[in-house]
Amino acid sequence: MKKGRKETVICLAFLLVLYALWAVDFLYPDRLYSDWEKRMLAQRPALNRTDVLNGNYGKNYEEWLTDQFPLRDRWVSVKTRCELLLQKKEINGIYVGKDGQLFSDQERTADWDRLEMQMRDQYGAWNVSRIRVPAAGAVLTDRMPCGLSFPFVEDRVWENLNRHREEYIYYRTDHHWTMLGAYYAYEAWAEDQGLVPVPPEKLERKTVKEDFLGTHYARLHYAEKADAIEVYDPGVSCQVVYDLGKSDLQGLYQAELLDSEDAYRYFLDGNHPVLQIETGQGEGHLAVLKDSFANCMVPYLACHYGKITVIDPRYFRTDIPAWLQGQEVTKILIVSQDTVKAE
Amino acid sequence: MVFSSLIFLFRFLPAFLTIYLLTKERYRNLVLFLASLVFYAWGEPVYIGLMLFSTVLDYANGRVLEYARAAGQEHLARGILAESVLINLSLLGVFKYSGVLPLPIGISFYTFQTMSYTIDVYRGEVPAQRDLAAFGAYVSMFPQLIAGPIVKYKDVAKDLENRSFEAGEASAGIGRFCIGLGKKVLLANQIGLLWEAVQQIPPGQMSTLTAWAGSAAYALQLYFDFSGYSDMAIGLAGMIGFHLKENFDYPYSSKSITEFWRRWHISLGQWFRDYVYIPLGGNRKGILMQIRNILIVWALTGIWHGKGWNFLIWGMYFGILLIVEKCVLLKLLKRLPAVFGHLYTLTAVLTGMTVFALEHLGEGLRWLAMMFGSSGCLWNGQSVWLLSNYGLLLLFCIFGSFGFGKKLAGYPAVWAISLFLSVAYIVDASYNPFLYFRF
């Protein structure tokens, strides 16, 4: 008799679990946008005959159900922990390294080589410089998982980063470098350009966020250790015009974004098509063509040029060489991530 | 609809079970039939007509057959049988092999089921089903509709007439379902990623170890996927009082190919035995006829799996192996220590699986060459990386496929963990950060 009771309990518990999740799902409000995934989520599909008959309704309904499933992030985190227990080192496209360091491949963000050629033609090779940002895995090689490595070029930037590999130069939970990492790249570049880099002791160091979780975290919903966002401010007060005045943002740092899901946007408010910066520091007009890695490097550059124009070619829809012609630019710097895949 | 989806787990299944249990017993076949149609139509409403056609036709065939037999009209009975087999095979031929139309889900399974029905009625082994709803429930029964097992009508005839809810059977069914779900989602899908990764390696960089790991991953994926589906089918059927036969019995632990095929996709093997091999004369007409019969059965088994040439070759490969075993090898294997039998079986099965997996024969042959050392490199950094990622899972899968974890599958706590983790993995599979998130 007792045995029969246990089995009845199992049957009821099973049904109850299925219903409970249904109920939670029903009560859980639908969201339009996922901050972590940075995409619009599927919404409840409209019921109509054509869609039902061609099977689209079924497909859309399932998409809606999965996109709006309650506590998705928690479920993902359960899965990641399970994978880690199985000793997996590559989870959802993220490589799990030592000491909580996470790595990822770097995709091609724009045709930087072509841009460089165009700029060299327009301004002369000596006025155009380039910083190729090495992947974290190309510098922090000792923290990479066994059997995996990133290809890299041993240029001055890489050498300087490599010299400081023990310092906090790349985030663990995000694919970007830290402002300190950007400093070492800037240092190498400045020396190359015959400029005197701002010495580290002149930088005002402050920690603006201690629980930063970045894009790597977004894929895993797991991090051994959260990151800190540290600012090394050279103390140049700048006038910044965002998007040719279409936006009323000001300054190089956006403190209110520190509490968002994308705290790296603290620097220059993420990626804007174009920024115009007046520094009041000396002569010259530098144009920076860049992806997001340059966002935390611009404050250092501000020490050397009177004007800086920052262009993100991925979002700047105008023909860049033509647009720059009217800007009296004297120097060009291209900052972009190296396109690399771990192997 | 597939079992390993949120919509099945948290909408269809609870709704179906509730309605089913609240319905009076004599209407339950109808509920099952209608629910199965919804299940089937969910992803592909067009082909519902095809299944209804098949259902009604063979229902009618059964009735006429029974009438013909009762009236002693042997010619009519034969004609009906021929018509039924012909139409079912034509459906299969047109939809599966012509390549013009998209494949209706489960057609290979339900056409074989309806054929088994008319043949059994013709043979007088079962009475024809008079209740269209009950027959419809048999043909379209959603637990086994899309991936088997192939249920012979005579095996569930009793359950169709008379079954009741029994907590013991239902809870065992729940356990079976949860374990099957875990096998599919946690093992098959995950080890499948290793096979996917290996396939993307350019042939020049492939080491022997990687090639073997890839083949093993594929074989394990196939086993856990298929047997997981069978478990889920048997479990779901158990929840509503049906008793389906086992479809897998740890095939990789076999000591010969003959034994392997008694343990792998049992319901298909039995179908071909009952409806092809034995009617052809089986082993009763001398060794030459037996060899012919085996070759016919295995050519058909190969073709049943798909329309590529590789499937035919795959079937013949096993047919020939079985003949060789029958003639000499089995006697030899019996005298050797068991480990030889295991090694021989696994090697032969993995080789066969590779042919099965790769639709282009050249590719299959190149792969086999790599497995047997054509790369000239036993292992490299790549194999180390892959095995450090998948080694533990691979070991679990190997142990599991040999039946070492058998006892675990009996604990309700394990069922719960399996269900919980499966949901996490299913949710994660739909979790796709926007491609450009990195910028």
Side-chain angles (χ1 to χ4, degrees):
Chain A
M1 192 59 221
K2 192 157 179 258
K3 203 171 171 232
R5 203 185 304 151
K6 180 184 153 197
E7 282 148 351
T8 313
V9 168
I10 290 172
C11 294
L12 287 175
F14 180 68
L15 261 183
L16 216 66
V17 166
L18 301 188
Y19 271 118
L21 265 152
W22 189 346
V24 173
D25 195 11
F26 186 75
L27 297 172
Y28 204 73
D30 277 9
R31 297 177 304 163
L32 261 178
Y33 183 79
S34 159
D35 290 319
W36 283 118
E37 293 170 80
K38 304 212 188 336
R39 66 179 179 94
M40 305 300 285
L41 299 177
Q43 302 297 308
R44 181 191 260 282
L47 192 61
N48 67 57
R49 239 184 83 177
T50 356
D51 280 352
V52 170
L53 288 182
N54 64 20
N56 278 341
Y57 179 76
K59 235 175 277 155
N60 295 338
Y61 191 95
E62 273 187 77
E63 248 169 54
W64 168 61
L65 202 65
T66 43
D67 268 12
Q68 302 291 350
F69 200 70
L71 304 174
R72 268 158 71 77
D73 305 339
R74 298 288 178 82
W75 289 106
V76 172
S77 148
V78 167
K79 187 222 170 184
T80 301
R81 277 156 213 271
C82 195
E83 298 269 277
L84 287 170
L85 272 180
L86 280 171
Q87 303 305 311
K88 268 193 90 167
K89 300 285 185 283
E90 185 189 351
I91 307 172
N92 289 358
I94 302 295
Y95 310 108
V96 181
K98 290 157 200 153
D99 304 329
Q101 184 73 45
L102 304 172
F103 299 95
S104 56
D105 295 336
Q106 296 197 6
E107 281 149 35
R108 201 174 103 124
T109 44
D111 195 346
W112 302 102
D113 291 339
R114 202 175 129 247
L115 257 175
E116 188 183 0
M117 294 279 281
Q118 286 175 335
M119 292 299 120
R120 280 163 177 265
D121 286 348
Q122 195 164 332
Y123 293 95
W126 53 90
N127 285 321
V128 178
S129 54
R130 182 159 177 188
I131 295 176
R132 293 166 199 269
V133 182
V139 180
L140 311 176
T141 44
D142 49 342
R143 277 177 246 175
M144 283 283 279
C146 282
L148 199 69
S149 60
F150 277 100
F152 58 90
V153 189
E154 285 187 49
D155 58 11
R156 306 249 330 228
V157 168
W158 179 85
E159 275 170 12
N160 205 30
L161 284 166
N162 192 43
R163 208 170 295 138
H164 297 277
R165 61 196 294 172
E166 297 305 324
E167 294 167 45
Y168 190 19
I169 54 175
Y170 283 95
Y171 296 114
R172 290 179 291 269
T173 70
D174 194 84
H175 66 289
H176 291 108
W177 53 13
T178 64
M179 195 159 172
L180 184 61
Y183 175 80
Y184 292 124
Y186 148 79
E187 190 182 42
W189 168 82
E191 279 164 4
D192 228 25
Q193 294 287 304
L195 300 169
V196 182
V198 196
E201 57 275 14
K202 283 265 178 71
L203 302 171
E204 189 201 338
R205 177 181 168 174
K206 60 181 183 223
T207 304
V208 292
K209 187 176 173 69
E210 294 196 334
D211 52 355
F212 170 47
L213 296 169
T215 49
H216 290 156
Y217 175 84
R219 285 213 175 172
L220 301 182
H221 284 278
Y222 170 85
E224 212 172 286
K225 240 188 310 183
D227 278 299
I229 297 184
E230 290 174 344
V231 176
Y232 295 81
D233 187 29
V236 180
S237 58
C238 299
Q239 292 281 335
V240 187
V241 177
Y242 283 80
D243 298 338
L244 308 170
K246 277 178 217 142
S247 157
D248 27 337
L249 290 163
Q250 285 175 345
L252 296 171
Y253 310 105
Q254 308 297 337
E256 67 278 12
L257 286 171
L258 284 171
D259 292 324
S260 74
E261 247 81 27
D262 192 5
Y264 185 77
R265 282 179 61 193
Y266 174 72
F267 302 105
L268 302 188
D269 189 45
N271 298 319
H272 280 266
V274 58
L275 306 179
Q276 290 154 306
I277 304 170
E278 299 267 357
T279 66
Q281 305 280 316
E283 299 291 299
H285 183 179
L286 175 72
V288 184
L289 310 180
K290 58 95 205 176
D291 61 20
S292 57
F293 279 83
N295 296 1
C296 60
M297 188 195 261
V298 168
Y300 307 125
L301 303 175
C303 303
H304 303 279
Y305 298 91
K307 270 177 91 173
I308 300 178
T309 301
V310 182
I311 294 176
D312 193 322
R314 293 164 298 166
Y315 304 101
F316 192 72
R317 296 281 172 215
T318 323
D319 177 49
I320 294 173
W323 187 83
L324 278 177
Q325 242 148 26
Q327 302 293 316
E328 296 175 335
V329 168
T330 52
K331 292 271 183 190
I332 305 282
L333 168 62
I334 298 172
V335 184
S336 66
Q337 60 178 345
D338 221 1
T339 311
V340 281
K341 247 175 104 60
E343 44 191 46
Chain B
M1 217 182 282
V2 289
F3 299 148
S4 53
S5 68
L6 298 174
I7 186 158
F8 179 79
L9 290 172
F10 300 115
R11 293 288 189 280
F12 184 88
L13 188 57
F16 165 73
L17 286 176
T18 311
I19 297 172
Y20 181 84
L21 291 173
L22 292 177
T23 309
K24 279 189 186 152
E25 282 190 18
R26 63 190 159 122
Y27 296 119
R28 283 183 178 175
N29 280 334
L30 184 63
V31 171
L32 176 58
F33 182 35
L34 295 176
S36 298
L37 292 182
V38 171
F39 177 88
Y40 190 73
W42 188 257
E44 227 171 313
V46 192
Y47 284 139
I48 194 97
L50 195 65
M51 201 169 66
L52 285 174
F53 168 75
S54 208
T55 306
V56 173
L57 181 82
D58 281 304
Y59 170 78
N61 283 337
R63 296 295 299 270
V64 177
L65 263 174
E66 198 176 46
Y67 160 78
R69 292 199 66 90
Q73 298 188 5
E74 199 51 35
H75 286 296
L76 178 60
R78 271 193 198 189
I80 291 291
L81 178 68
E83 169 256 334
S84 169
V85 170
L86 193 72
I87 289 183
N88 274 305
L89 289 180
S90 318
L91 284 181
L92 209 51
V94 169
F95 286 97
K96 191 165 177 171
Y97 301 106
S98 71
V100 186
L101 298 158
L103 186 70
I105 302 163
I107 192 167
S108 314
F109 293 97
Y110 71 73
T111 48
F112 267 46
Q113 297 205 154
T114 50
M115 270 193 279
S116 87
Y117 168 71
T118 37
I119 296 172
D120 285 348
V121 173
Y122 170 79
R123 289 176 177 172
E125 288 181 19
V126 280
Q129 177 58 258
R130 288 163 179 274
D131 179 359
L132 183 59
F135 186 68
Y138 161 67
V139 177
S140 66
M141 195 193 295
F142 76 85
Q144 47 74 247
L145 181 61
I146 37 179
I150 299 169
V151 180
K152 280 174 288 182
Y153 180 75
K154 57 186 170 200
D155 292 340
V156 288
K158 240 187 231 149
D159 290 338
L160 276 171
E161 305 289 327
N162 180 21
R163 65 183 181 277
S164 54
F165 178 82
E166 213 258 293
E169 280 178 357
S171 90
I174 288 167
R176 196 64 189 274
F177 176 78
C178 294
I179 295 295
L181 185 67
K183 277 163 94 173
K184 158 80 184 147
V185 177
L186 304 176
L187 300 179
N189 288 359
Q190 299 312 310
I191 202 69
L193 295 176
L194 172 57
W195 167 237
E196 231 171 72
V198 170
Q199 272 182 302
Q200 272 160 17
I201 299 173
Q205 295 169 24
M206 184 88 69
S207 67
T208 309
L209 185 60
T210 309
W212 276 93
S215 289
Y218 179 71
L220 289 165
Q221 180 192 10
L222 206 60
Y223 167 69
F224 281 110
D225 195 285
F226 205 170
S227 78
Y229 252 104
S230 291
D231 286 339
M232 288 190 270
I234 293 168
L236 286 166
M239 290 181 212
I240 54 174
F242 281 97
H243 304 82
L244 304 190
K245 288 188 177 170
E246 291 300 325
N247 207 19
F248 285 87
D249 182 22
Y250 302 104
Y252 291 141
S253 65
S254 308
K255 291 193 281 291
S256 68
I257 296 297
T258 310
E259 187 186 350
F260 177 82
W261 279 105
R262 274 201 298 265
R263 291 162 170 266
W264 176 282
H265 204 178
I266 299 166
S267 63
L268 181 71
Q270 285 183 345
W271 198 96
F272 276 112
R273 191 197 61 201
D274 288 2
Y275 301 112
V276 181
Y277 182 68
I278 291 175
L280 281 173
N283 58 1
R284 286 163 292 140
K285 293 185 178 166
I287 187 74
L288 281 180
M289 287 303 270
Q290 190 187 359
I291 288 175
R292 182 202 72 165
N293 295 342
I294 291 176
L295 287 178
I296 290 176
V297 163
W298 284 91
L300 292 176
T301 304
I303 295 170
W304 182 86
H305 283 86
K307 70 170 180 175
W309 282 104
N310 60 318
F311 293 111
L312 179 63
I313 291 170
W314 173 80
M316 295 310 281
Y317 164 83
F318 278 114
I320 290 166
L321 272 179
L322 288 172
I323 292 167
V324 173
E325 285 193 354
K326 202 136 272 165
C327 296
V328 278
L329 208 54
L330 277 184
K331 283 172 213 144
L332 187 70
L333 282 172
K334 252 184 208 153
R335 284 193 215 144
L336 292 169
V339 62
F340 285 97
H342 285 300
L343 281 177
Y344 148 74
T345 307
L346 285 176
T347 314
V349 167
L350 280 188
T351 311
M353 292 287 185
T354 310
V355 178
F356 188 80
L358 299 168
E359 296 223 354
H360 300 285
L361 268 183
E363 212 182 320
L365 289 175
R366 225 172 307 131
W367 188 275
L368 285 177
M370 282 189 288
M371 282 173 72
F372 293 99
S374 75
S375 61
C377 145
L378 208 51
W379 78 79
N380 55 17
Q382 199 143 45
S383 31
V384 171
W385 164 245
L386 286 173
L387 286 180
S388 75
N389 255 298
Y390 291 98
L392 205 54
L393 180 65
L394 200 60
L395 270 182
F396 281 152
C397 287
I398 291 170
F399 280 120
S401 71
F402 276 83
F404 285 110
K406 223 190 249 181
K407 274 210 180 121
L408 279 177
Y411 293 107
V414 177
W415 307 345
I417 293 169
S418 176
L419 179 64
F420 175 70
L421 291 182
S422 296
V423 173
Y425 274 68
I426 292 170
V427 171
D428 179 78
S430 73
Y431 190 86
N432 42 353
F434 181 48
L435 194 65
Y436 295 113
F437 91 114
R438 331 189 69 258
F439 303 146

